[in-house]
Amino acid sequence: MSNPGISEQISSLVTEAREAASASKSLAELEGARVRYFGKKGMFTGLLRSLGAMPQEERPAAGQSVNQGREDAEAFFAAATENLKKKEREEKLFAETIDVTEPRGNNGIGSLHPVTIALRELVDLFVGMGYETVEGPEVEYDKYNFELLNQPKNHPARDAQDTFYIEENIVLRSHTSPVQARTMLARRPPIRIISAGRVYRADEFDATHSPVFHQLEGFYVDKNVTMSDLKGTLEVFAKRLFGENTKTRFRPSFFPFTEPSAEVDLTCPTCGGKGCRLCKNTGWIEMLGSGMVNPKVLELCGIDSSVYSGFAFGIGLDRVGMLRYAVPDMRWLFEGDVRMMRQFR
Ligand code: PHE
C-alpha cells in the first residue's frame, strides 16, 4: 500500500476498538462503544470516508483493508457481547436466588371454611352414633339420582328440582340421596351411613340460594327401624349443634323416596324461638328433609321391604354453617373473601 499511514491507522483503530470491547463492564457500555466505532458516524466509517483524499487507484485496496479491520474488530464485539450476556445472566440468577428452606414468619395461616367446620362436627356426631361415611360422585347417572329413588322419567316431582343435565342420562346430582341407592346395591342391611358433598341445582344465586351447595345425607336400614328412631336421631343432632334448648318440629312433606316424609324445623338459634329477622318472625328455621325409606325404593334396590325398614334425611350444610356462625348471606360462603374467612381462624 503506497500510503503506509493508512495501515497503521487501521491497526491502531482495531486495537483501540478491541480494548474498548474488553473494557466494557456491561452490555449498555458495550453498546455505547459499538456505536462509537461502527455506527453511522463511527470511527470506521470516518476512516473509510477519509480515503476519499487518496489517489483513485489506491482507494480499493485501502477500502478493503479498512473493511477487513472492521470485521476483525466486530468479531471482538460479538465475543464480548456473548461474555457479558452470560455474565449478566449469572448475576441475575445469583441476585434472584431464594432459599426455599428458609422458615418464613407467621403472617397468617388459613382458616377452615364454616361449612367444613359444620361438616366435621356432624361427621363426629354421626360416627359417634355408629354411622359410617361413604362418598358418591357429583356427576351422577339419572338412574341413581332419580329412577332408583322412585322418580321415573316423567314423574312430576322431577320438575321440583331444576337439574343440570350433562347428557340425557347423566346429571350433576341434585341431592346426596343417590348415595342411598348406590349403597343399597352394594351392601346388605344393616346399613348405617352418612354421605356429604356438593349438590347442584339450576337455582337462583341470592342470600339463601346457590346453584351449588352442600348436603349431608343420613341413611339407616335395618329390621324394625321406625319413625321414632328418626325423630330421636334428629333431636340429638339439633341439640348437639345448636344447644340443649333447641326444639324440633316435624312438618308433613313429600319426597318420592320416603313415605311418610317430613321437613324438620328447629327453633331459631338466633332468637331462641321468639322471632327475629333471620327466622322471619316465625321462631323456626327449616333445616332438613327426611322420612321413612319408601318400601318401593328398598325393593328397587333389592332389599326385602317386608323384612327391612329405614329412615333417611338430608341436611343442608350451608344452612347449618350460616346459622351456627350467623353468616347472613349464603353468597359469602362461596366468595372466599379473606375478610370473612379469617374470622374463622
Ligand atoms: N334429597 C332431599 C332433598 O334434596 C332431602 C331428603 C333426603 C329427603 C333424605 C328425605 C330423605 O331435598
Side-chain angles (χ1 to χ4, degrees):
M1 206 175 293
S2 65
N3 182 349
I6 191 73
S7 53
E8 262 129 52
Q9 279 181 62
I10 292 170
S11 69
S12 77
L13 190 54
V14 170
T15 309
E16 203 187 298
R18 178 199 197 156
E19 276 162 8
S22 55
S24 291
K25 299 221 157 41
S26 69
L27 284 171
E29 206 180 311
L30 187 67
E31 174 61 13
R34 197 191 61 76
V35 172
R36 224 164 41 246
Y37 289 97
F38 311 116
K40 268 197 201 129
K41 293 180 184 152
M43 318 241 256
F44 278 98
T45 318
L47 190 55
L48 266 185
R49 283 214 182 97
S50 72
L51 302 186
M54 292 176 89
Q56 178 86 40
E57 63 283 9
E58 290 175 12
R59 274 188 229 156
Q64 234 174 14
S65 306
V66 174
N67 283 334
Q68 183 59 52
R70 181 189 168 117
E71 262 171 48
D72 292 348
E74 275 177 337
F76 286 121
F77 270 74
T81 305
E82 279 319 301
N83 276 339
L84 284 174
K85 269 195 188 150
K86 194 166 159 235
K87 193 177 130 228
E88 289 188 7
R89 196 163 50 235
E90 276 163 8
E91 279 170 2
K92 189 157 175 253
L93 283 177
F94 184 76
E96 287 174 359
T97 303
I98 50 167
D99 179 359
V100 292
T101 66
E102 188 180 327
R104 69 195 281 272
N106 178 8
N107 44 18
I109 51 169
S111 57
L112 288 179
H113 192 280
V115 171
T116 307
I117 304 174
L119 172 64
R120 290 191 178 182
E121 275 184 61
L122 286 175
V123 169
D124 236 32
L125 168 69
F126 286 110
V127 167
M129 293 201 284
Y131 289 76
E132 197 185 321
T133 57
V134 299
E135 286 183 23
E138 290 173 27
V139 177
E140 183 58 287
Y141 289 107
D142 183 285
K143 179 174 127 189
Y144 298 111
N145 196 79
F146 291 122
E147 278 180 49
L148 291 170
L149 298 176
N150 192 31
Q151 263 169 289
K153 295 221 160 82
N154 305 322
H155 190 290
R158 281 199 179 200
D159 299 337
Q161 293 186 350
D162 303 302
T163 310
F164 286 112
Y165 277 84
I166 305 259
E167 282 175 20
E168 197 187 334
N169 289 312
I170 303 178
V171 300
L172 289 180
R173 66 177 179 187
S174 59
H175 50 180
T176 42
S177 300
V179 183
Q180 294 182 23
R182 285 180 171 273
T183 309
M184 279 187 278
L185 292 171
R187 330 179 172 185
R188 298 293 87 194
I191 295 171
R192 203 190 269 120
I193 57 123
I194 51 171
S195 185
R198 288 190 195 96
V199 300
Y200 302 84
R201 285 181 205 172
D203 218 335
E204 303 291 322
F205 192 35
D206 61 27
T208 52
H209 297 89
S210 163
V212 49
F213 57 104
H214 303 83
Q215 284 188 335
L216 180 129
E217 191 85 4
F219 184 65
Y220 176 34
V221 177
D222 202 349
K223 290 177 177 147
N224 304 318
V225 179
T226 68
M227 189 101 185
S228 56
D229 295 317
L230 172 64
K231 285 195 79 173
T233 303
L234 293 178
E235 259 159 37
V236 172
F237 148 76
K239 290 188 156 67
R240 169 77 171 268
L241 242 83
F242 297 103
E244 281 303 310
N245 297 326
T246 311
K247 292 193 181 58
T248 50
R249 178 173 81 174
F250 282 62
R251 265 186 299 110
S253 183
F254 173 79
F255 298 102
F257 36 94
T258 47
E259 184 58 37
S261 305
E263 262 167 293
V264 179
D265 303 334
L266 308 188
T267 42
C268 176
T270 307
C271 61
K274 287 200 247 351
C276 66
R277 202 169 57 97
L278 202 71
C279 59
K280 299 198 183 81
N281 286 314
T282 61
W284 296 96
I285 298 268
E286 188 189 317
M287 202 60 181
L288 56 94
S290 67
M292 301 307 292
V293 180
N294 192 326
K296 262 197 191 159
V297 171
L298 293 174
E299 296 294 338
L300 283 169
C301 297
I303 290 176
D304 186 345
S305 64
S306 67
V307 180
Y308 293 103
S309 57
F311 66 66
F313 55 85
I315 301 175
L317 281 177
D318 310 272
R319 191 158 278 198
V320 174
M322 284 170 74
L323 281 178
R324 192 100 164 70
Y325 303 105
V327 178
D329 192 316
M330 189 178 278
R331 287 167 289 199
W332 295 9
L333 296 177
F334 295 94
E335 283 166 355
D337 189 321
V338 286
R339 289 169 300 178
M340 147 100 180
M341 293 305 299
R342 66 181 159 220
Q343 297 174 57
F344 295 94
R345 250 182 227 162

